[in-house]
Amino acid sequence: MLNLPRLLTMGAVVFSSAAWSASTSVYLEELTSTEVRDAIRAGTTTIIIPVGGTEQSGPHMALGKHNVRAKVLAGRIATSLGQTLVAPVVAYVPEGSITPPAGHMRFAGTISVPDDAFKGVLEGAARSFKQSGFVDVVLIGDHGGYQAQLKAVATRLNRDWAATPARAHFIGDYYRVTQTDYVQALKAKGLNDAQIGVHAGAADTSLMMAIDPALVRPAQMARNPSEGEANGVAGDPRASSAALGQMGVDLIVAKTVAAIRAAKSAPR
């Protein structure tokens, strides 16, 4: 005689697994709770927390540059790694003094939060993921100003998690490659330091054009260095292109994937 309750239970398990395998998204916020649960049970125990920021990037690039870039790149990194999900982007980050305004806060639309609030959000998110069953929590940041805070959060978490299988990984290569390998690749294409810049110049703008050109306003690019400085630009974005940006995208993904794999395989 058929055991109906047992068949129903077995059917629920099969359906649940099928539901997860049918999903193609690596983004946590696009999945249901049961899909995430089943993914963890199936071995997806790595999650990336991408950190962006909401700041001015001159008159030619949208305020959400870092957020969009961090989400898209984290998604590509997760896909390359396999068995990895991506948490929602942390969009509220330290950007300097609010009153009196300093740095990017001198320009409309920039959002800044205190260091302690920022680190508290990161820690809370990481601890939430550990509670869910994730074993490797990866921190990557698209902005240079808070790299030290990301490292400090990972260090504290690892101290607290020393007696557990869980680990936090700060992957500095994600940002570092934009200041090293990518710069060298742009120079090999004939660009100079003044064009490449350090903020909203050709390097920064090209990356955005490769990822989401709708967030770039080519007609608003600075015409000369002095105008750029007044408008929050350090560099000359006029040489930017999606093709140049794709070089950066490829480097960031490849270097970050390698760094995460190395971090996960390293002994405590």
Side-chain angles (χ1 to χ4, degrees), residues 63-113:
L63 288 155
K65 169 194 75 178
H66 284 306
N67 301 323
V68 172
R69 226 157 54 189
K71 180 173 183 177
V72 171
L73 291 172
R76 296 183 186 182
I77 291 163
T79 300
S80 295
L81 283 169
Q83 295 189 309
T84 303
L85 294 183
V86 178
V89 175
V90 178
Y92 298 88
V93 309
E95 291 284 0
S97 172
I98 297 174
T99 306
H104 296 303
M105 284 304 303
R106 294 176 294 124
F107 299 88
T110 302
I111 302 170
S112 186
V113 299

Side-chain angles (χ1 to χ4, degrees), residues 48-49 51 69 73-74 77 81 138-144 146-148 150-151 154 169-183 207 247-264:
I48 298 171
I49 301 179
V51 185
R69 226 157 54 189
L73 291 172
I77 291 163
L81 283 169
V138 176
L139 300 174
I140 60 173
D142 207 69
H143 184 299
Y146 50 62
Q147 297 294 308
L150 297 184
K151 184 176 181 179
H169 309 281
F170 163 60
I171 305 298
D173 284 359
Y174 172 91
Y175 179 75
R176 190 178 301 114
V177 68
T178 65
Q179 311 301 303
T180 54
D181 299 56
Y182 182 36
V183 170
L207 279 175
M247 295 192 309
V249 168
D250 293 342
L251 284 167
I252 292 167
V253 172
K255 294 285 186 179
T256 305
V257 167
I260 293 172
R261 286 177 174 156
K264 289 175 60 177

Side-chain angles (χ1 to χ4, degrees), residues 224-245:
N224 59 64
S226 61
E227 179 183 345
E229 291 175 5
N231 284 329
V233 178
D236 187 345
R238 290 176 296 173
S240 304
S241 72
L244 291 175

